[in-house]
Amino acid sequence: MGSRQGRASLGQPWQPSHLLLLIPVVLIVVITAADIATGPNVVLGPLLVVAPTLTAWFAGPWTTGGIGVLAMAGEAASSWRTGSVSSRNVVVEVIAIAVITLLIVVLCAVRDRHARQMARVRSVAEAAQQVVMWPLPSRLGPLRLACVYLAAEEEAAIGGDLYAAARTDSAVRVMIGDVRGKGLPALGEAALLLGAFREAAHQQASLPDLAASLERSMTRYLADFEPEGEAGERFVTALLIEIADPEPLVRMTSCGHPAPLLLGPDNTVHVPRLHPGPPLGVGITDPDDHVVDVLPFSPGDTLVLYTDGVIEARDHNGAFYPFAERAAQWTDQPPEALLQHIERDLFAHTGGRLGDDVALLAIRRAHIPHDEAEEGEDRQRYERNAEPSPEDVGALRAPRSQFRSQFRFQPLRVPRPGWSFGVRWAPAEFAAATGRRTFEIRQG
């Protein structure tokens, strides 16, 4: 095992840092040769300190110290060739190179230690992000999803912005929110709200009831963990949306959160006017305080949910990022490519620095072929033991005999006594001859 790894390492190409080592080595050789050639009248030995200084830019302390020793050896070689190896000037120059090299090595060690600490912080932040903010699937029902999270603090990788999605029986519910504050201090409220949403999304019948449930969770959390000096100042803005499978609509309830962008396939951008309710965490738990706004959401349309870190981003002149105007350029892009374009354009606008955390979530309703949608509805209905309709019973009796040997019957749970209920997957010829989907119900 070890020998195989050794041979593999021997076959690997040099890293860029290995090639860069040639620069200080060549400098030492050139400066030493020039110092010998010019004689005692021109002193070039002090220039050798450039070699360890350059090495510290791309190498660690041990390599930098080795280059420093080579520089001192070059100074000693040039003075020996000129016959001044024991002179006071040469001794001072060698000592100066040694002291400067030692200082550079110490700085390298401190820099590398700090880099290791930052790497550990990023690793912990990435692990926390995976645990707290679960990665969203690329597809939920008839929807395609993509998300981007950009932390304002480079070492954090996660902060007060949040998003989550849950698949219910026949709909998808999504939440995006923004905790007051940024970075790791806002992580507690974000973690609490995400956990509460993932549970309540399957239990509450409407979006106002869901908002009220989240408010109760926030109120209990703040009663126990809100800092004394920030009483009444901790809150979360959130946008809750619900997209039902069979309806070309989207329902929204805003808890003080900005309205999303609705991108049409014909390069149109619509910013809906919502009726925002109070943010979460202010103690208002009545569902009647939250309004449901309904918008058309047809196949091919894209919803872009975002936090205020996007619209409040500024360039060097203080101009805000024109989000709706820029997003109109990429309405025909799939969700993943759309967010990539927005991310690059946002960093170009701000010069690579963000003043606040940014969360982006793109949702597109996909085009579903009619027969595929029909088959999916049939399978869902029968697998859930729904009561069969009279048209389903015996619909396959006449043509079934032609293909009986090719059927594969999968029994399901019996919905009520007297029914033999299951799914029979039919060959393509049968489906073409009968026009029926691949299920069968038999009455016993």
Side-chain angles (χ1 to χ4, degrees), residues 332-356:
D332 58 338
Q333 297 292 319
E336 298 83 358
L338 171 65
L339 295 190
Q340 290 175 3
H341 285 297
I342 294 175
E343 179 181 355
R344 286 194 295 264
D345 193 60
L346 181 62
F347 276 119
H349 180 82
T350 61
R353 300 287 298 179
L354 297 175
D356 195 5

Side-chain angles (χ1 to χ4, degrees), residues 137-160:
S138 60
R139 188 137 193 173
L140 275 178
L143 306 178
R144 293 183 59 186
L145 291 82
C147 54
V148 168
Y149 193 98
L150 306 173
E153 298 180 4
E154 295 182 1
E155 70 278 4
I158 189 173

Side-chain angles (χ1 to χ4, degrees), residues 206-213 216 253 275-278 284-292:
S206 65
L207 292 182
D209 291 336
L210 176 58
S213 176
R216 290 191 293 270
T253 292
H275 300 80
I284 300 178
T285 59
D286 188 355
D288 295 335
D289 293 317
H290 301 281
V291 179
V292 177

Side-chain angles (χ1 to χ4, degrees), residues 156-181:
I158 189 173
D161 290 3
L162 54 100
Y163 51 76
R167 174 72 176 165
T168 61
D169 290 339
S170 59
V172 174
R173 286 181 170 178
V174 179
M175 176 184 67
I176 188 169
D178 186 0
V179 180
R180 177 184 176 272

Side-chain angles (χ1 to χ4, degrees), residues 25 69 125 130 132 153 205 221 235 253 270 281 309 393 436:
V25 172
V69 171
Q130 295 294 325
V132 176
E153 298 180 4
Y221 172 83
F235 59 87
T253 292
H270 176 57
V393 178
R436 298 294 300 172

